[in-house]
Amino acid sequence: MAAPAATSANAPKETVYVNNLSEKVNQEEMKKSLYAVFAPFGPIIDIVHFKSNKMRGQAFVVFRDVPAASSAVRQMQGFPFYDKPMKLDYAKAKSDATARAPGSPCAREAGDAPPSRPPFRAPPPRAEREERKAGAKKEKAAAPKAPREEAADAEMAAPAAPAAPAAPAAPAANLPNPILFVEDLPDQVNEMMLSMLFSQFPGFKEARAEHSPPRPRAARPLPAGIAFVEFESEMQSGVAMGGLQGFKITPTNLMKITYARR
């Protein structure tokens, strides 16, 4: 993977300074992408990304503890992110989010002014969002209609024509499977990078370049931009697929994820 981080002039701390980021990606998408890449190293309590001309291409990722930040600096130095190698270092000063974290020795007193910016929170996985929408639709459909609405529905209803016998449904071509099939990956992504991205989801087992038992080396390139990612259960693989479907590793590469064929 990436080369080890160079010796830093700044003391290790929870906040990681990220430089050389793409300036073509909007702020919200960049925050989500940074969270997905750095979450495997430990809990993240804040992400700061700048839009001003002076600070463009720079961000701060605030971890809960120093070991997590140190692992990120060491392992992600030079990681190809939106076609540009990331440059990482420890921040020069402690983040306000860290100072206000419960239990922190630098936590502010109760009378201090509240933070001017709320901490970044990762969006819920796509599967969870879809489930909420479906639940809201069911509640709306189950709500009793007013008498006027029922009368209007009766007037507009036409006599139903005899229904033709329904054709048998075709068998599903892609049934739920603990193994996911990932496509449209850029050439610079390897198994180790893919593992770091998917390991934020519960039940993750491994990512590999082919549908076969794992081999010792984990950083092999992915042939033809495809890979298989295995989870412990179908439910867990479905959550991961919903959370990362269409995820942009580069501005032109959107991951396509389906269940692997049995």
Side-chain angles (χ1 to χ4, degrees):
M1 179 149 179
T7 302
S8 172
N10 302 324
K13 54 181 62 69
E14 298 90 342
T15 304
V16 176
Y17 170 63
V18 188
N19 195 6
N20 200 39
L21 296 173
S22 174
E23 300 178 5
K24 300 177 181 179
V25 183
N26 66 56
Q27 187 180 42
E28 192 60 28
E29 181 179 334
M30 179 60 75
K31 281 188 175 183
K32 292 178 182 178
S33 300
L34 286 169
Y35 184 91
V37 170
F38 283 101
F41 295 99
I44 295 174
I45 61 176
D46 199 7
I47 291 181
V48 183
H49 179 248
F50 302 98
K51 293 190 296 185
S52 64
N53 291 333
K54 184 178 179 181
M55 299 295 289
R56 291 180 69 181
Q58 304 173 60
F60 290 94
V61 179
V62 186
F63 289 91
R64 183 178 297 172
D65 52 55
V66 174
S70 298
S71 295
V73 171
R74 183 174 60 254
Q75 298 186 41
M76 296 300 289
Q77 191 73 256
F79 179 81
F81 191 62
Y82 288 106
D83 287 334
K84 298 182 70 175
M86 287 195 293
K87 296 180 180 179
L88 308 180
D89 197 356
Y90 299 108
K92 294 181 179 180
K94 183 182 288 286
S95 163
D96 283 348
T98 304
R100 292 185 177 93
S104 169
C106 300
R108 300 172 186 258
E109 298 296 330
D112 285 354
S116 59
R117 174 179 41 78
F120 172 77
R121 287 180 173 83
R126 183 175 301 177
E128 184 178 336
R129 296 197 300 269
E130 295 298 331
E131 185 177 347
R132 290 178 183 176
K133 290 181 182 178
K137 289 181 180 179
K138 287 182 180 179
E139 290 180 3
K140 184 177 180 180
K145 293 185 177 181
R148 291 183 179 179
E149 291 180 351
E150 292 181 351
D153 290 347
E155 290 178 3
M156 295 177 64
N174 210 264
L175 298 175
N177 191 334
I179 301 175
L180 300 176
F181 178 58
V182 187
E183 304 175 75
D184 298 339
L185 296 171
D187 294 338
Q188 63 266 37
V189 174
N190 57 36
E191 291 179 357
M192 185 178 296
M193 297 175 186
L194 205 61
S195 296
M196 293 172 62
L197 188 60
F198 278 89
S199 62
Q200 64 182 298
F201 295 95
F204 171 78
K205 294 179 68 175
E206 64 165 347
R208 56 181 182 267
E210 54 192 40
H211 205 169
S212 63
R215 291 180 288 173
R217 202 152 47 94
R220 301 188 302 275
L222 303 174
I226 63 173
F228 292 88
V229 181
E230 185 173 355
F231 285 82
E232 293 178 358
S233 69
E234 297 172 357
M235 182 179 296
Q236 291 168 332
S237 65
V239 171
M241 178 168 61
L244 290 175
Q245 187 72 266
F247 177 79
K248 286 185 178 181
I249 294 185
T250 72
T252 56
N253 290 88
L254 280 70
M255 286 199 304
K256 179 182 178 182
I257 309 174
T258 56
Y259 292 113
R261 295 183 182 275
R262 293 184 180 273

